[in-house]
Amino acid sequence: MCIKNKNVFGAFLCLFSASLWGVAGSVGQFLFQNMGVPSKWLASFRMLSAGMALVTFLLLRRKKYVFDIWKNKKDRKDLLLFSIFGILFTQYGYFIAIDYSNAATATVLQYLAPIILVLYSILHDQKLPTPLEAVAILFAIFGTALLATHGDWKNLSISSQALFWGLVSAFSLAFYTGFPHRLLQKYDALLLIAWGMLIGGFCTNLLHPFWVIDTAFCWSTLFSILFVILFGAMLPYFTFLLGVKYVGATKASLLGSIEPLSSTVVSVLWLHTKLEFLDYIGFLLIIATVFLLSIKPKEKHTA
């Protein structure tokens, strides 16, 4: 396939992927709150199904390569850490946060991950934050506080469980983003995602077996579950990785910030989620941190 403008095509793929993730979050909310599907079961089943499908796909393409990562002791350890503390808790925490609140709030809380990475870098390198980083941190703190309290600093406006699992998802997403650099130098990102989902799904199925569910399934339920697996996990991971290849990681991250917007629009228009004015202010403050952190200070030129 000949692509004349790879930047435009890559940008479209990133926007498309992030939009699908946002919509899938709202579909998850529909399943939890309208169809009686347990959030922990869906997170578990989604990871296992997507992981099995992706590993099978890779086996059909490059059979020997798929198992190379298991031959090295350090690679095995890092893959397990990435699978559990990156993929497992990112997706598990995200769906439980949706169940306790709504898709829009859970998605925005997850977008605290870039700030967590900045704070880790500041502590690890023992350096002061740049002015832009300092503003981004303040925006993130104030935005989260508005979401959690609606300006009443003595009381939470969302449940403590929603806030806890939203933050778990954010910390895990930060780990997912920052940890696997060494592995990505040796293996394809899709291979890490495939094994990560399969391992994460296997672990959660020990607690929430996919065959144990007390829910009456109808066509709407089955279609929604299939949508979450295919269009909330498998397809967007393919298209987002391809988009990153064309536009780069930084621009892809910026384009990915459409995810909270798509989740909010679908959640409000389709599920009639009630959000207050301060919720939108909190959303904007947290999403703004992504753009602030993407701004690179001008380098000083010496004569």
Side-chain angles (χ1 to χ4, degrees):
M1 180 174 64
C2 180
I3 302 171
K4 292 184 178 180
N5 194 325
K6 293 184 178 181
N7 282 332
V8 173
F9 182 63
F12 169 77
L13 289 177
C14 292
L15 290 171
F16 173 73
S17 306
S19 298
L20 280 182
W21 279 321
V23 173
S26 295
V27 174
Q29 181 182 337
F30 167 75
L31 286 168
F32 307 150
Q33 299 178 359
N34 295 74
M35 309 307 291
V37 175
S39 57
K40 296 175 182 178
W41 179 90
L42 182 61
S44 179
F45 183 63
R46 178 202 191 202
M47 274 189 287
L48 185 65
S49 302
M52 290 177 65
L54 290 174
V55 170
T56 301
F57 171 78
L58 290 171
L59 281 171
L60 293 174
R61 291 187 63 195
R62 301 169 68 183
K63 185 176 182 180
K64 292 182 179 179
Y65 169 75
V66 176
F67 295 100
D68 284 349
I69 195 168
W70 293 100
K71 296 176 182 178
N72 182 282
K73 183 178 179 180
K74 184 169 178 55
D75 291 349
R76 286 198 304 269
K77 184 191 75 173
D78 286 354
L79 177 61
L80 289 172
L81 290 172
F82 172 71
S83 302
I84 294 171
F85 295 104
I87 288 183
L88 190 160
F89 281 110
T90 296
Q91 299 197 32
Y92 195 73
Y94 176 60
F95 275 120
I96 297 177
I98 291 175
D99 195 12
Y100 280 116
S101 56
N102 55 70
T105 301
T107 304
V108 171
L109 285 173
Q110 194 178 64
Y111 263 71
L112 291 169
I115 289 295
I116 294 169
L117 284 171
V118 168
L119 290 172
Y120 173 79
S121 177
I122 290 170
L123 293 173
H124 182 268
D125 298 336
Q126 296 183 347
K127 64 176 184 179
L128 292 174
T130 66
L132 283 174
E133 288 174 341
V135 173
I137 291 168
L138 290 175
F139 273 21
I141 293 172
F142 191 55
T144 305
L146 283 179
L147 283 180
T149 67
H150 285 172
D152 182 0
W153 309 114
K154 295 181 180 180
N155 298 294
L156 287 176
S157 61
I158 62 174
S159 69
S160 57
Q161 294 96 326
L163 183 59
F164 172 77
W165 285 108
L167 291 175
V168 166
S169 178
F171 274 95
S172 296
L173 181 58
F175 185 84
Y176 169 91
T177 304
F179 177 74
H181 289 317
R182 189 188 67 83
L183 289 176
L184 286 170
Q185 293 175 353
K186 296 180 65 176
Y187 307 100
D188 291 340
L190 186 59
L191 180 70
L192 300 185
I193 292 167
W195 278 118
M197 285 191 171
L198 185 59
I199 294 167
F202 175 80
C203 291
T204 53
N205 266 272
L206 295 176
L207 298 174
H208 312 288
F210 69 87
W211 60 88
V212 179
I213 179 172
D214 186 19
T215 299
F217 282 82
C218 63
W219 284 111
S220 295
T221 305
L222 292 172
F223 176 78
S224 298
I225 291 173
L226 190 62
F227 183 92
V228 168
I229 294 171
L230 294 178
F231 299 103
M234 294 175 62
L235 178 61
Y237 274 116
F238 275 113
T239 52
F240 191 78
L241 286 172
L242 189 57
V244 171
K245 177 182 177 182
Y246 291 134
V247 302
T250 301
K251 192 172 182 180
S253 299
L254 285 174
L255 294 167
S257 63
I258 197 176
E259 182 184 349
L261 176 61
S262 66
S263 180
T264 301
V265 170
V266 175
S267 185
V268 170
L269 296 182
W270 176 39
L271 300 174
H272 307 293
T273 300
K274 294 182 179 179
L275 298 174
E276 297 186 12
F277 176 72
L278 288 177
D279 289 323
Y280 292 107
I281 297 299
F283 289 0
L284 288 173
L285 287 171
I286 292 173
I287 295 171
T289 63
V290 180
F291 293 90
L292 286 171
L293 294 175
S294 70
I295 300 174
K296 295 182 179 179
K298 293 182 180 179
E299 295 182 1
K300 295 182 180 179
H301 298 281
T302 56

